[in-house]
Amino acid sequence: QAKRAGQHDLVIYRPGMLDRRADDDALGQDLENAVASGQLRVLYQPMIDLATGHPIGAEALVRWHHPLRGIVAPLDFIPIAERTGTINGVGLYVLEQACREAHGWPGDAYASVNLSARQLQDTGLVAAVLGVLDRTGLPPHRLVLEITESAIVDDRVAIPALETLRAHGIRIAIDDFGTGYSSLQYLSRLPVDILKIDRSFVAELDNTSKGSAITEAVISLARILDLTTVAEGIETADQAAELQRLGCHTGQGFLYAKPLAAPDVLEYVTHHTAAATSSASASTSAS
Ligand code: C2E
Ligand code: MG
Ligand code: MG
Ligand code: MG
């Protein structure tokens, strides 16, 4: 029997030990039935309102529990899934799981779900997303879809799809912002609501003034375009303080929480919200 890796034992599979291409082909084939056989798990990383310190949502991050290889990280199988087309099934599975979970979170806490470039090319995307909201009962304002700059650059299918999704009240975030090549003019025409500042810029905040200059520029740009900013990969209290000083709205990173299993994120979001904090302190002072 294959060893069951625990939820938090990260056994990262590293390709390249064998012939990479043959190995990718093998993984690609295994992926075909990974969804059907329940090998995909979705973890959720809390997203924090930097001004209050309270969670306001969580990002869905997929893991593949391969029966023989252990946990395969998304960066090791999403690109393969994109090439073979299984990403459409994988992406829809993650979306549905995330919407189901988020429906049980308190208040207006939202799920932020990554979409790949290939999903954006799928003409059935809008109907599929709206179908998931319908089935799960999650209101559209509690769903954010994350896409990368490169996934939408110069595209005639993606932009109308994003416009329709937005018209339904779903928010769109640009993930890893700053690592692509979109011009300011282009960005100003994109149907988006949120910029996620890439982790590489957040990591620079501790070091040099040049590092913080980029983050500062992205935040001013977002302010001009009336977009919300999210910083990813916050690992230190200094980074959080600097981001807050610069006016960044939201943050996520190991400083607050790692990606958590569904029951753990429910507990996190429930126990760290404003309502929970005030009722907890009220009951403490009452006893
Ligand atoms: P991403 O969307 O930019 O997600 C952020 C990544 O940074 C996640 O890696 C997360 O675990 C990691 N992270 C979060 N906080 C910290 C921190 O403080 N320090 C460091 N060093 N890392 C942090 P993960 O889960 O391995 O995902 C990697 C990428 O895979 C994601 O980058 C996303 O592009 C892609 N991905 C994950 N799940 C999905 C999915 O369901 N669909 C699609 N299309 N892509 C996905
Ligand atoms: Mg993301
Ligand atoms: Mg990101
Ligand atoms: Mg990133």
Side-chain angles (χ1 to χ4, degrees), residues 59 61 114 146 175 196 232:
E59 178 175 3
L61 295 160
N114 294 284
E146 302 190 5
D175 205 354
K196 295 193 75 171
E232 56 179 27

Side-chain angles (χ1 to χ4, degrees), residues 100-122:
R100 256 179 227 300
E101 290 304 330
H103 189 260
W105 298 343
D108 277 337
Y110 59 83
S112 203
V113 180
N114 294 284
L115 281 193
S116 78
R118 180 135 177 188
Q119 285 177 277
L120 279 171
Q121 301 301 318
D122 179 1

Side-chain angles (χ1 to χ4, degrees), residues 45 59-63 73-75 78 82 87 90-91 94 113-116 119 146 175-176 196 198-199 232-235 252-255 257 259:
Q45 184 175 44
E59 178 175 3
L61 295 160
V62 69
R63 302 288 181 266
L75 290 178
I78 295 286
E82 282 240 341
I87 189 65
V90 169
V94 174
V113 180
N114 294 284
L115 281 193
S116 78
Q119 285 177 277
E146 302 190 5
D175 205 354
D176 305 332
K196 295 193 75 171
D198 190 61
R199 170 155 60 89
E232 56 179 27
I234 303 177
E235 295 184 353
Q252 61 186 108
F254 297 163
L255 174 66

Side-chain angles (χ1 to χ4, degrees), residues 78-139:
I78 295 286
I80 300 173
E82 282 240 341
R83 270 201 303 282
T84 59
T86 30
I87 189 65
N88 289 311
V90 169
L92 208 59
Y93 175 80
V94 174
L95 180 70
E96 181 135 4
Q97 290 293 116
C99 290
R100 256 179 227 300
E101 290 304 330
H103 189 260
W105 298 343
D108 277 337
Y110 59 83
S112 203
V113 180
N114 294 284
L115 281 193
S116 78
R118 180 135 177 188
Q119 285 177 277
L120 279 171
Q121 301 301 318
D122 179 1
T123 49
L125 177 72
V126 172
V129 172
L130 296 178
V132 168
L133 289 182
D134 216 47
R135 278 198 294 285
T136 60
L138 189 74

Side-chain angles (χ1 to χ4, degrees), residues 219-241:
I219 293 170
S220 345
L221 173 67
R223 198 173 287 128
I224 292 164
L225 298 176
D226 203 20
L227 303 174
T228 301
T229 41
V230 177
E232 56 179 27
I234 303 177
E235 295 184 353
T236 70
D238 284 351
Q239 291 167 348

